Amino acid sequence: MTTRILFLCTGNSARSQMAEGILRHVGEDKVEVFSAGTHPKGLHPLAVQVMAEVGIDISGQQSKSMDLFLDQPFDFVITVCDRANESCPLFGGGRQRLHWPMPDPAAVEGDEEQKLNAFCVTRDELFARIWSFLSLIVSGKTSV
């Protein structure tokens, strides 16, 4: 039996999309992973770019509304932004809810290098959190 996980953020354009791609890549057949947003905006091109830099192709992923998943069961619902965390109590499909707050790289202002750096920092933080999270799932721990 695989563990079902949903990542939620507001726009489902960067953080939750990267988290979905990372966990799908490193989780292999141990997880079934999805992402959605409370107000989906479309996949951010810099999210696609920084994920491609580490060999993960998320270009085929699409921004989705959390409404698509409301009546589906999940072992974990993980919010990656404060706004989604505040809206998440309306989401009843998750057995366990986690909150991993992190800044929105799409909101960073500055030149292209600064924006790209923000996406890289977010990607790397998600990798670290997901590796820790996955090790708990694989070890059979049912709560995080």
Side-chain angles (χ1 to χ4, degrees):
M1 186 167 144
T2 58
T3 301
R4 288 179 48 91
I5 299 155
L6 175 65
F7 286 101
L8 285 177
C9 70
T10 304
N12 191 222
S13 67
R15 294 165 288 188
S16 56
Q17 291 282 354
M18 289 189 285
E20 176 185 355
I22 292 167
L23 187 52
R24 181 172 288 123
H25 181 76
V26 300
E28 300 170 352
D29 61 346
K30 297 170 189 66
V31 296
E32 192 176 354
V33 61
F34 306 89
S35 68
T38 57
H39 298 89
K41 293 182 184 175
L43 184 58
H44 197 290
L46 289 178
V48 174
Q49 181 179 334
V50 301
M51 294 301 292
E53 290 174 1
V54 295
I56 300 173
D57 181 9
I58 64 168
S59 64
Q61 293 179 197
Q62 295 182 358
S63 211
K64 300 163 290 301
S65 170
M66 75 174 195
D67 294 345
L68 295 172
F69 300 99
L70 285 176
D71 55 356
Q72 294 186 34
F74 290 94
D75 297 295
F76 296 93
V77 174
I78 303 171
T79 55
V80 291
C81 75
D82 289 332
R83 274 199 237 153
N85 187 48
E86 292 165 8
S87 301
C88 196
L90 304 173
F91 187 86
R95 193 184 87 226
Q96 187 171 357
R97 209 171 110 211
L98 304 172
H99 182 50
W100 297 352
M102 54 186 61
D104 183 1
V108 169
E109 296 181 11
D111 61 26
E112 281 305 304
E113 185 177 337
Q114 291 168 312
K115 291 177 183 180
L116 188 60
N117 184 59
F119 276 85
C120 288
V121 167
T122 299
R123 176 201 62 208
D124 295 346
E125 183 176 341
L126 283 166
F127 256 111
R129 287 181 187 228
I130 287 169
W131 275 117
S132 296
F133 175 72
L134 190 57
S135 69
L136 292 172
I137 291 174
V138 170
S139 70
K141 298 204 188 244
T142 57
S143 62
V144 180

